[in-house]
Amino acid sequence: MLHMTHNYMLGLIALMVSFIVCFYVPITYAWFKIRAQQRNQNKS
């Protein structure tokens, strides 16, 4: 039982990490693109 819950916890942690990566990477990429666009707008 302990081994099963341990595997379940590892699977849950892996799921959370993959979800955070798949969620954060596009958001940070879009944020950097928006920041760059705002910087270019402020120049012109």
Side-chain angles (χ1 to χ4, degrees), residues 2-38:
L2 190 80
H3 195 66
M4 207 171 100
T5 46
H6 187 66
N7 282 346
Y8 177 74
M9 282 294 293
L10 278 178
L12 202 67
I13 288 168
L15 197 74
M16 291 271 291
V17 166
S18 63
F19 175 75
I20 285 169
V21 166
C22 289
F23 195 67
Y24 256 103
V25 167
I27 282 179
T28 48
Y29 178 73
W31 185 75
F32 274 117
K33 294 284 276 190
I34 288 168
R35 283 290 297 259
Q37 280 184 356
Q38 283 180 351

